Amino acid sequence: MFRYFIYLAYDGTNYHGWQVQPNGTSVQETLTRALITFLRDDAIEVTGAGRTDAGVHARLMVAHFDIEWMLDCDVVTDKLNRLLPPDIAVYQVRRVVQDAHARFDATYRTYKYYITTCKDPFIRHYAWRVFQPLDFEKMNEAAQVLFDYTDFTSFSKLHTDVKTNNCRIMQAHWDQAGPYEWVFTIQADRFLRNMVRAIVGTLVEVGRGKLTVEGFRKVIEDKNRCSAGTSVPGNALFLVDIGYPEDLFLNV
C-alpha cells in the first residue's frame, strides 16, 4: 500500500462540515467520491487532519488515503480539481511514509476568525459583523491568559469522545486587518470541538466590557462550558495552516 497526503482548501458554506454526515453533504464525502471516481477503487477512505463544523472554511486542510499502486501526484491533483466542485480545490498531493497520519502527526494547527465592525457586502459571508464597539486591547490582554493553561474544558463542546481536554496554545492574538476589520489568530497542537468559536465568543464579552481579564481567567479555571461565552458564527472561521515533521514526506 502507498499512502498520500492531500493538501486542499474549501469554502464551507454549502457543507455540513468536514466529517461525513448522515443527513447532509460533507467535504470528506465529496473528496472521497472524487477519489473513488478517478482511481476506480471503492475501498478508498479519506482521513482528515481534524473536523471543521458546518459552514467553517479551510484555506488549508490535509487528509490522507491509501492506494495499492504508486501515483503521479501532479496528475492526481489535476484530475481531482476537474472532478471536484468549484468550492473545493486541491493544492497538491504528496507521498508520505506508510504510517504517516494526517491527524495524529500534525504538530500544530492555525485558525483565523474575522470580525468586521461595519456593513460590507463583499465580506459578509466570511466575517462576523459586530454592532457594538469592542476594546481589542483588552481582548488581546485576555488572549494572553490562554498561555497560562492547558485544560480548556470550558471551551469544549459537551459530550465529545476525546480522552483529554488539554491543548498547548502557541499563538493567540488580535490584529487589525483594515479600517473596520479585525482577525484573531490562534495556533495550538490540537483543538477541541467548538473551541475556537467559544474562545472568540468569550473574548468578545471582554471587549464589550461584560467580562474582565480576571473574569476570563476564572472562566478557564471553572472548566465548565456554561461559564464561557456563546459560540460565535462559523462562517467567519478559517483553518489556515497545519504543520508536520518533514521526515514524513518521501521525495519521489
Side-chain angles (χ1 to χ4, degrees):
M1 298 293 286
F2 299 92
R3 178 160 291 186
Y4 291 87
F5 273 15
I6 301 178
Y7 285 73
L8 67 148
Y10 53 84
D11 180 326
T13 303
N14 295 322
Y15 298 95
H16 289 254
W18 161 264
Q19 194 169 22
V20 171
Q21 302 290 330
N23 300 313
T25 303
S26 71
V27 180
Q28 183 184 33
E29 173 194 356
T30 305
L31 178 60
T32 302
R33 190 166 59 242
L35 276 167
I36 289 173
T37 299
F38 169 53
L39 298 173
R40 304 188 182 204
D41 184 349
D42 292 339
I44 286 179
E45 296 181 358
V46 174
T47 301
R51 301 169 178 175
T52 54
D53 292 334
V56 175
H57 317 289
R59 287 201 175 98
L60 179 68
M61 169 62 89
V62 181
H64 76 250
F65 71 97
D66 294 327
I67 191 76
E68 292 183 350
W69 59 90
M70 192 176 295
L71 300 174
D72 182 322
C73 292
D74 290 337
V75 170
V76 177
T77 300
D78 178 64
K79 294 297 185 182
L80 285 178
N81 279 324
R82 292 171 186 262
L83 289 167
L84 289 165
D87 51 9
I88 302 177
V90 173
Y91 293 140
Q92 64 175 334
V93 176
R94 298 184 66 181
R95 190 180 162 203
V96 293
V97 296
Q98 187 54 40
D99 61 349
H101 199 286
R103 178 183 174 190
F104 298 129
D105 284 328
T107 55
Y108 67 82
R109 295 146 173 95
T110 309
Y111 282 88
K112 290 183 181 288
Y113 194 89
Y114 294 87
I115 282 180
T116 178
T117 57
C118 77
K119 185 176 182 180
D120 187 330
F122 301 107
I123 63 171
R124 69 191 188 280
H125 296 306
Y126 307 107
W128 179 41
R129 185 187 176 192
V130 294
F131 295 88
Q132 296 173 257
L134 297 176
D135 186 338
F136 285 97
E137 186 174 340
K138 278 291 182 189
M139 291 162 67
N140 259 328
E141 188 180 339
Q144 299 311 296
V145 173
L146 293 166
F147 293 100
D148 296 338
Y149 299 90
T150 56
D151 188 330
F152 294 103
T153 300
S154 293
F155 301 124
S156 173
K157 188 174 183 178
L158 298 175
H159 311 302
T160 62
D161 56 1
V162 298
K163 295 179 180 178
T164 174
N165 288 331
N166 288 354
C167 309
R168 182 168 62 90
I169 303 293
M170 302 168 182
Q171 291 186 49
H173 52 86
W174 289 93
D175 299 290
Q176 191 161 9
Y180 307 104
E181 298 172 39
W182 289 80
V183 56
F184 179 61
T185 302
I186 184 166
Q187 184 182 88
D189 59 344
R190 63 190 290 264
F191 286 92
L192 308 172
R193 292 283 305 278
N194 207 49
M195 179 173 166
V196 179
R197 291 163 61 194
I199 287 175
V200 172
T202 311
L203 288 173
V204 166
E205 293 295 287
V206 175
R208 288 173 172 164
K210 295 181 178 180
L211 187 68
T212 64
V213 173
E214 284 307 308
F216 183 79
R217 182 183 296 276
K218 185 177 184 305
V219 166
I220 300 173
E221 293 178 351
D222 281 348
K223 299 179 184 178
N224 184 340
R225 180 65 186 90
C226 295
S227 298
T230 303
S231 293
V232 289
N235 67 292
L237 180 60
F238 289 76
L239 173 61
V240 299
D241 195 16
I242 306 173
Y244 294 95
E246 277 301 316
D247 59 7
L248 295 184
F249 301 95
L250 298 174
N251 295 317
V252 292

